[in-house]
Amino acid sequence: MNNSTGFIKRPEITKHGLRNNAFAPPSLQPSPEAFAVPLPPDLEDEGLPMSENMIERKPNSEHNQLKKQYHEEQNKQAAQHTLYNQYEEKIRPCIDLVDSLRALGIEKDLALPAIAVIGDQSSGKSSVLEALSGIALPRGNGIVTRCPLELKLKRIPATQAWKGKMCYRNTSLELQNASEVEKAIREAQNVVAGTKGAISGELISLEIRSPDVPDLTLIDLPGIARVAVGDQPKDIGEQIKMLLKKIICCKETLNLVVVPCNVDIATTEALRMAQDVDPSGERTLGILTKPDLVDRGTEESVINIIRNQVIPLKKGYMIVKCRGQQDIHNKLALAAAIQQERKFFETHTHFSILMEEGRATIPLLAEKLTNELVKHIIKTLPTLENQIREVLQKTLQDLQKYRRGTPKTESEKLFFLTDLIKLFNQDISLTIRGEEHLIGNEVRLFAKIRREFRTWEVTLTESAAKVKKNLPNKVWKYEDQYRGREFPGFTNYRTFEDIIKEQIIELEEPAVEILNNVIDLVEKNFMELAKRHFANFHNLNRAAKTRIEDIREKQAVEAERYIRTQFKMERIVYCQDDIYFNDLNSVKAENATKAGNGKELFVVSIANQEPSFVQEMVSHTKAYFNGASKRLTNQIPMIILSSALHDFGDNLQTTMLHLLQEKEKINHLLQEDSEAAKHRSYLSQRVDRLNKACQYLRDFTSL
C-alpha cells in the first residue's frame, strides 16, 4: 500500500520539523504546500538557507502578504508538531499498553479492552479488515474465519520494511511478506480448529508492522452462519453465536458491527446480538458496507441510518466502500481501492454529504476506531488496575501454600503437618467468630448465615399475619363444632390452646429447613478452607473432607433434635402471668387505637360485626403469639449457631489435631499431589504475569 491511502502514519521528525513525506493522523497531516513556501526576502540577510527557485523581491503589499503566509505556515507546522507529540504521548502508549498486557497473557486472568468485529456472512467484514490492515484475508464459501483472530496493527516509519508475526498455541511464525498471511491463517486455523470446517474459541494472534496501517488492535470473529455446510457440525450456527456472545458480552469489549447497506438493518443478526449484550448502545459502533449496491431511491434511508436516526448507537455509524469480488478478480490493489473509495464518496450525489461530515471512508474509520479504543482504554484502566491487584493478591496467597514442599526427615514432617493443621484451625476459629480474612468480593460466612435468619424472621411475620386473618373463621369453626354444655359467649380455653398449637406446628418444618440451609453453608465454607490449606496434599485434604462430612451429619442430627425439642416445649402453651398480661394489654390498646382512628378496616369490621367472645379470642391469641414469636425469633438461630457453627467448628479442630497422633500415617497424609507441581508452576507464571502487568501500569501512569 502506498502513502496515498491517507492512513494514520508516524511523522518523521528532524531538527527543522516534519519531513516532506511524513504522514500523521488525518487531522494532523500537513498540506502539500507546507514544505514549498519560500522564505521572505527580508530574512535573506539573517543567514537562512535560500531555495534555488526563490522568487524575486515583490512590492511591499505583496511582500507583506507573503511574509504573513510564511508565518501562518510556520505556525501550522508547529501546531502539527504539537498534535503529533500529543498523539505519541497519549494515544500510542494506550494501545501499546493493552497489547503488552495481552502479550503477557493477562486475558487468561481477566478481560482486556478490545474491539471485536462481528457480522453476518457476506456482510463485507473481511473486506473492511483487509482495507484497514493492507493484507488479504482468507476468502471462500461458508465459514472462513473459524477462530478469533487478533489483528494487531502497528504503524512504523516509512523507512522500515513490512513485517508480520503469527502466534497460536506454542507456534510463533515470522512473516516477511504480506502475501504469506492468507496461507498462514488457513494453516493456523486447521491446527486449532481442525480441517473439517469446525470452529474454536482459541485465539490466533497476527501482528502486522507496516508504514501503511493505523495503530489499532481488532479481534475478527467468525461470521454468523445459519446452516451447516459440508462436514461442519449441524449446530454450527449456535456454536458461533455462543462464541460471539462470550466475547462481545464483556464490558471491556467494543463491538464493531458490520452491516451491508442493501439489507434491512433491523433484521441483521449481528446487530441484534450486539443490542442483546449492549442495550444502550454504549459499546457498539455500526459499519455500513457495499454502498454501491444500494437500490436507487433508498439512499436517504441509508443516510438516516448513518446519522443515527433509525437504530441509535452512542458511538454512531460509519460507511465504507471496500473491494468487491470483481475488484479482487481484477486484482485491484488495496491502495487503489482506497483511492477509488474516496472518489466514490466525493462524487456520489447523495453520499458525498457523509464524506463532508466525516462519516465515510476507511481512513476516517481507522481514525475513529483508534480514538474510540483509546477512550475506552482510559475509561477502563482504573477498574483493570484494581482487578489485576486483587487477582495478584489471591494468587500470591495460593502460591504461598504450594511453595511449602514436604520436608525429608520424620521429625520435620511432624512439625510441618502440625503447622499445616494449626493454620487451618486458626482460619476455622476466625470463621466461627466472623473475623475471617476475605479476598476480593468474598462474603463472610456469618453474613450468609444472617441472610438465612432474616428468612426465618420473615416466616414468623407471615405466620402472625396469617393468624390474624384466619382466626375469626377458626373461632367460629370451634364454636360450631366443639362447644359443649357451656353457654354462648363463654371463652373456651381449649379452643385457644388448639389454635396456638396448630400455628406452632406449622412453624416447625420451616425452622428445620433454615437449619439445613445454614449447616450446608458451614460445611461448604469449611470444605473450601481445607482445599485452600491442603490443596497440594490430596490425602490430607481428603482426610479433612471426611471429618467435615462426618461432623456435619452429627451436628445436623443434634441441632434438629434441639429444634424439635424447642417446638415440643412450645406446644405446652405457657407464659408467665405478668408477661402475658403486658402483651394482652398492648394488643387491646393497639386495637382500640386503630379502631378509633379508622386505620385498619379489618379491626373495625370485627368491632362492628363479630360478637365479643370472638374479639376476645382474637386478642388473647394475638397476645400469646406475639410473645411466642419473639421467643422463636431468637431461640431457633441460637440453637443453629450453637450446634451447626460453633460446635461444628470446635469438633473439627479437635479431630484435625487427632491426626497428629497417628504418626504412622504422616507420610501418607503429606504425600504431594501429582498435580501440585503443575499447579505451582501455573501459579508462579501467573504471579510473574501479573507483576509485569502492574509494572506496565505503573510505567504508563508515570508518563
Side-chain angles (χ1 to χ4, degrees), residues 11-25:
E12 296 182 38
I13 306 298
T14 70
K15 64 181 180 179
H16 299 299
L18 294 173
R19 291 174 64 164
N20 190 1
N21 61 350
F23 283 76

Side-chain angles (χ1 to χ4, degrees), residues 128-305:
V128 172
L129 292 171
E130 285 181 348
L132 288 168
S133 63
I135 58 173
L137 296 172
R139 288 176 177 269
N141 297 323
I143 302 168
V144 180
T145 304
R146 299 190 289 121
C147 307
L149 173 65
E150 178 191 41
L151 193 58
K152 294 191 288 188
L153 308 178
K154 295 285 187 180
R155 178 177 46 78
I156 57 176
T159 55
Q160 297 182 15
W162 186 100
K163 283 187 179 181
K165 183 178 181 181
M166 175 166 287
C167 299
Y168 56 95
R169 294 198 174 172
N170 296 322
T171 301
S172 180
L173 179 65
E174 297 289 340
L175 305 173
Q176 301 302 323
N177 193 290
S179 61
E180 302 174 16
V181 171
E182 182 177 356
K183 180 182 177 183
I185 293 176
R186 290 187 184 276
E187 291 177 351
Q189 290 190 147
N190 287 340
V191 171
V192 172
T195 58
K196 294 187 177 181
I199 66 165
S200 169
E202 191 173 338
L203 189 73
I204 296 174
S205 178
L206 173 61
E207 180 176 318
I208 301 296
R209 292 179 175 269
S210 168
D212 304 314
V213 297
D215 274 312
L216 191 60
T217 299
L218 303 165
I219 299 177
D220 183 23
L221 298 173
I224 300 171
R226 290 168 176 78
V227 293
V229 177
D231 294 331
Q232 291 174 347
K234 299 300 181 185
D235 64 340
I236 189 72
E238 288 304 315
Q239 288 187 28
I240 292 174
K241 288 180 183 178
M242 289 178 62
L243 172 60
L244 265 58
K245 285 181 180 178
K246 181 180 178 181
I247 294 176
I248 67 176
C249 70
C250 293
K251 293 182 179 179
E252 293 78 13
T253 303
L254 294 177
N255 300 322
L256 187 63
V257 183
V258 181
V259 180
C261 284
N262 60 336
V263 302
D264 183 0
I265 189 172
T267 63
T268 55
E269 187 72 15
L271 187 58
R272 187 191 64 77
M273 288 182 64
Q275 287 177 308
D276 288 344
V277 300
D278 179 30
S280 63
E282 295 275 356
R283 301 185 288 109
T284 305
L285 172 65
I287 306 298
L288 267 62
T289 59
K290 306 181 181 180
D292 51 320
L293 301 182
V294 173
D295 292 335
R296 185 174 298 177
T298 63
E299 293 89 352
E300 284 301 320
S301 63
V302 174
I303 292 175
N304 290 336
I305 293 173

Side-chain angles (χ1 to χ4, degrees), residues 337-462:
I338 293 289
Q339 295 297 333
Q340 282 193 7
E341 178 195 40
R342 183 177 188 87
K343 183 178 180 181
F344 170 83
F345 283 111
E346 285 178 340
T347 59
H348 197 282
T349 306
H350 299 276
F351 296 156
S352 59
I353 186 65
L354 299 176
M355 183 79 173
E356 297 172 9
E357 294 174 357
R359 304 174 192 266
T361 73
I362 286 290
L364 290 181
L365 171 62
E367 181 182 11
K368 182 173 180 62
L369 289 178
T370 300
N371 291 334
E372 290 291 349
L373 180 58
V374 169
K375 285 192 294 184
H376 192 59
I377 291 171
I378 293 172
K379 179 181 177 182
T380 56
L381 271 185
T383 302
L384 178 63
E385 186 172 4
N386 290 335
Q387 289 175 339
I388 290 175
R389 295 188 188 284
E390 287 177 4
V391 174
L392 176 60
Q393 181 186 0
K394 186 178 187 307
T395 307
L396 285 171
Q397 291 178 346
D398 291 342
L399 183 59
Q400 187 62 33
K401 299 177 181 64
Y402 275 89
R403 278 181 174 160
R404 306 175 68 192
T406 306
K408 301 300 181 183
T409 67
E410 295 301 318
S411 59
E412 287 178 336
K413 288 179 181 178
L414 179 59
F415 281 116
F416 181 70
L417 180 59
T418 302
D419 194 36
L420 285 176
I421 293 175
K422 181 184 72 174
L423 293 174
F424 172 71
N425 284 353
Q426 285 176 356
D427 272 0
I428 294 292
S429 295
L430 289 172
T431 301
I432 292 173
R433 297 199 302 268
E435 299 173 359
E436 68 266 38
H437 303 297
L438 301 180
I439 300 173
N441 296 322
E442 290 181 343
V443 179
R444 283 203 165 109
L445 175 60
F446 223 104
K448 297 176 182 177
I449 292 174
R450 283 187 176 277
R451 293 171 186 170
E452 293 295 332
F453 289 162
R454 283 197 291 271
T455 302
W456 170 242
E457 192 173 0
V458 169
T459 300
L460 289 171
T461 302
E462 291 174 348

Side-chain angles (χ1 to χ4, degrees), residues 513-566:
E513 184 180 350
I514 296 295
L515 162 67
N516 291 331
N517 292 343
V518 170
I519 205 165
D520 284 347
L521 289 173
V522 175
E523 179 186 28
K524 181 180 178 181
N525 183 277
F526 289 173
M527 287 286 192
E528 289 174 351
L529 282 176
K531 184 178 180 181
R532 188 179 301 175
H533 281 271
F534 313 135
N536 51 334
F537 303 103
H538 178 71
N539 295 329
L540 180 56
N541 186 32
R542 186 167 55 186
K545 181 180 178 181
T546 300
R547 283 156 176 76
I548 290 170
E549 290 172 344
D550 291 344
I551 296 171
R552 186 245 190 248
E553 185 175 350
K554 175 187 172 184
Q555 294 306 131
V557 170
E558 182 178 289
E560 183 175 344
R561 180 167 57 82
Y562 286 149
I563 287 175
R564 295 198 184 279
T565 300
Q566 178 68 35

